[in-house]
C-alpha cells in the first residue's frame, strides 16, 4: 500500500448529540397555555357576563346595533364553563366551535411535543379564506331577521 497512511482508514467518532430536552421541558409551554386558558375560563365562569357592568359592551353592537362574530363569546364561555352546552351554542356557536378546534390543536401539540417532534401550524390561503368566509357568513346570517337563533 503505497502512499496510504494507516490513520486515514480510521473513522472519527461523531460529535456527541446535544442532550434531548426532558419531557417536562418540552411540555412546559403547552402546559402554560392550558393554564392560561383554564384561568380565563375560571374567571369567566365566576364573573357572569350576563350581569351588566362586569364586561364592556361590544363597540360594533353599541354603535351600529349589529352583532359581530365575537358577540356573545363571553356568555358562551360562561355557559360552557358551567357545563351548559345548549346555552353556549345559542350565545355564540362559532365560539363553541373554536373551543373544540383549540382542544384538538392543543392535544396534537402536546402529543407532538411529548414525542420531541416540532409543531407547525401553517394554514395556507385556502384555509384562511375559508375561515374568513365562514366568519362572514356567520356574521351576516346572525344579523338577518331569520338568523335570530344565532344571536346571543
Amino acid at each position: 500500500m503505497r502512499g496510504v497512511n494507516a490513520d486515514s482508514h480510521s473513522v472519527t467518532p461523531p460529535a456527541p448529540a446535544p442532550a434531548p430536552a426532558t419531557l417536562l421541558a418540552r411540555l412546559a409551554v403547552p402546559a402554560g397555555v392550558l393554564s392560561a386558558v383554564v384561568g380565563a375560563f375560571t374567571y369567566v365562569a365566576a364573573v357572569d357576563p350576563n350581569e351588566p357592568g362586569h364586561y364592556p359592551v361590544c363597540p360594533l353592537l353599541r354603535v351600529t346595533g349589529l352583532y359581530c362574530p365575537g358577540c356573545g363569546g363571553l356568555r358562551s364561555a360562561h355557559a360552557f364553563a358551567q357545563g351548559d352546552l345548549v346555552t353556549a351554542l345559542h350565545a355564540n356557536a362559532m365560539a363553541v366551535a373554536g373551543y373544540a378546534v383549540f382542544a384538538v390543536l392543543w392535544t396534537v401539540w402536546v402529543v407532538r411535543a411529548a414525542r420531541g417532534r416540532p409543531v407547525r401550524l401553517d394554514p395556507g390561503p385556502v384555509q384562511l379564506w375559508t375561515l374568513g368566509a365562514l366568519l362572514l357568513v356567520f356574521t351576516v346570517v346572525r344579523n338577518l331577521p331569520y338568523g335570530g337563533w344565532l344571536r346571543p
Side-chain angles (χ1 to χ4, degrees):
M1 294 175 92
R2 199 171 70 162
V4 176
N5 185 351
D7 290 336
S8 67
H9 294 292
S10 65
V11 176
T12 307
T22 65
L23 178 63
L24 188 60
R26 290 192 308 256
L27 295 178
V29 175
V33 169
L34 182 63
S35 296
V37 170
V38 168
F41 269 85
T42 301
Y43 180 80
V44 172
V47 181
D48 190 356
N50 294 305
E51 295 180 22
H54 289 274
Y55 300 98
V57 176
C58 172
L60 182 69
L61 181 62
R62 175 176 276 171
V63 172
T64 66
L66 297 173
Y67 294 101
C68 76
C71 281
L74 284 173
R75 284 172 277 191
S76 175
H78 176 76
F80 189 82
Q82 299 288 332
D84 188 356
L85 185 60
V86 172
T87 302
L89 283 166
H90 178 67
N92 191 322
M94 288 297 278
V96 175
Y99 310 151
V101 168
F102 172 80
V104 168
L105 290 176
W106 185 86
T107 302
V108 169
W109 184 15
V110 167
V111 168
R112 290 185 65 87
R115 293 178 179 170
R117 298 177 71 191
V119 178
R120 182 182 310 168
L121 183 62
D122 190 18
V126 172
Q127 290 87 3
L128 293 174
W129 279 102
T130 301
L131 177 61
L134 282 172
L135 287 172
L136 180 64
V137 168
F138 175 71
T139 303
V140 169
V141 170
R142 78 189 316 207
N143 284 292
L144 293 174
Y146 61 83
W149 58 279
L150 288 174
R151 290 185 201 134

